[in-house]
Amino acid sequence: MLALVALMAALVAGAAAWIWRTTDGLVFAIAAADRLLPAHLHARAVSGSLAHGFAAEELVYEDATVSVRITGLRAALDELRAGRSLAALRVGFSELLADRLTVRVRPPAVPPVAPPQSIALPFALRAERLAVGEFELYTGDEGARPLRLRQIAARVEAAKHGYAATGGLALGSQEAPLRAQFDATLGGATPFALAGRGTLAGSVGAQPLQAAVEASGSLVDLRLQAEVVRAPSGAAP
C-alpha cells in the first residue's frame, strides 16, 4: 500500500515538473484549461516554459461577452502560489509584454437585472513590468470606433480588494501624440472607489500642452479636477 502511495506521489510530482519546466507541458496546460473553462482558450506558436519564461505568437480567450487577443506575448513568472481555494492563488510576473492587445466586449444576450456588485479578480495577480505596444478596446456595435492606446508601460496589481496601477501610456495620433503618466487605484466592490492622479503632456495642434488631473470618489460618483497649462511658445511640453 505504501509503495502504491509513493508511486502515485512520484507520478504527480513528475507530471507537475513536466508542466512547469517544458514547452510541451505548457501547451498541455493551455489545452486542459480550454477544455475545463466555459470559454475558448487557444495559443499559437508557444515556446519556453512556465519555469523559465514563455512566449506565444498569439493567445486568444473568448467567451459569450468578451474576446481577448494577444499577439507577441512574452512573460516571465516570479511567483506562483496555490492554496486550497482560488482565493488563495497568487500569480506574479516580473515581465508581461505584448506587441498588441485587442479586447472586444459584447453586450450579453440577456441584459442584467442589476449592475454587478463586484469586478474584482477571484485571485491575486501582479505584474512588475506590464508593457503593451498597441491596445484596442471595442465596445458596443461592430461599427463603433475603438479606444486606442499605445506604448503602455506600468506596474499593475489586482486582487479581491481591487486594482492598482502606476505607469504611463500614449494616446492621440502618431504625428502628435499625448503622453500620460498615472497612479491610480480602483475598488473591486460597489461603489468601486476610485483614487488617482496623473499628468498629460504633448501638443494640441501646434500648441504644447500640459495638464494635471486628479480623480476621486467612485465609479458611481466620480469627481475630477484638472489644471491645464499651456507651455510657452517654443518650449518643450
Side-chain angles (χ1 to χ4, degrees):
M1 183 64 179
L2 289 177
L4 179 60
V5 171
L7 176 61
M8 293 298 295
L11 289 174
V12 170
W18 176 68
I19 291 173
W20 180 249
R21 295 182 178 277
T22 69
T23 301
D24 287 344
L26 175 58
V27 171
F28 171 82
I30 294 171
D34 181 48
R35 290 191 294 269
L36 294 173
L37 291 171
H40 172 65
L41 182 66
H42 171 73
R44 180 164 55 88
V46 177
S47 61
S49 67
L50 292 172
H52 303 295
F54 59 92
E57 188 173 305
E58 183 178 71
L59 179 68
V60 177
Y61 171 89
E62 189 168 11
D63 63 22
T65 59
V66 66
S67 169
V68 179
R69 184 179 300 272
I70 306 171
T71 56
L73 172 67
R74 289 95 66 202
L77 282 165
D78 64 5
E79 181 181 19
L80 182 60
R81 289 192 287 168
R84 296 186 177 182
S85 66
L86 185 59
L89 176 62
R90 298 183 63 87
V91 181
F93 292 90
S94 58
E95 289 188 332
L96 186 57
L97 318 176
D99 294 335
R100 189 181 189 90
L101 171 61
T102 303
V103 179
R104 296 179 182 271
V105 180
R106 310 181 188 92
V110 179
V113 177
Q117 298 298 301
S118 173
I119 57 172
L121 287 182
F123 60 92
L125 176 66
R126 171 184 51 80
E128 291 298 326
R129 182 187 173 219
L130 171 69
V132 179
E134 296 182 44
F135 171 78
E136 290 185 330
L137 173 62
Y138 294 83
T139 59
D141 299 332
E142 287 291 331
R145 295 182 63 181
L147 168 67
R148 288 190 172 97
L149 304 173
R150 302 187 310 280
Q151 300 172 14
I152 300 172
R155 182 191 185 279
V156 298
E157 193 168 357
K160 61 181 180 181
H161 62 270
Y163 303 84
T166 302
L169 55 85
L171 63 158
S173 67
Q174 294 276 5
E175 295 76 18
L178 294 172
R179 186 71 191 174
Q181 297 292 328
F182 57 86
D183 183 1
T185 60
L186 175 65
T190 186
F192 313 116
L194 175 66
R197 61 181 58 192
T199 60
L200 190 64
S203 59
V204 177
Q207 293 295 324
L209 184 67
Q210 289 185 332
V213 180
E214 187 167 346
S216 60
S218 68
L219 293 185
V220 177
D221 180 23
L222 178 61
R223 297 185 292 275
L224 290 174
Q225 290 183 325
E227 180 182 1
V228 179
V229 179
R230 288 188 180 275
S233 179

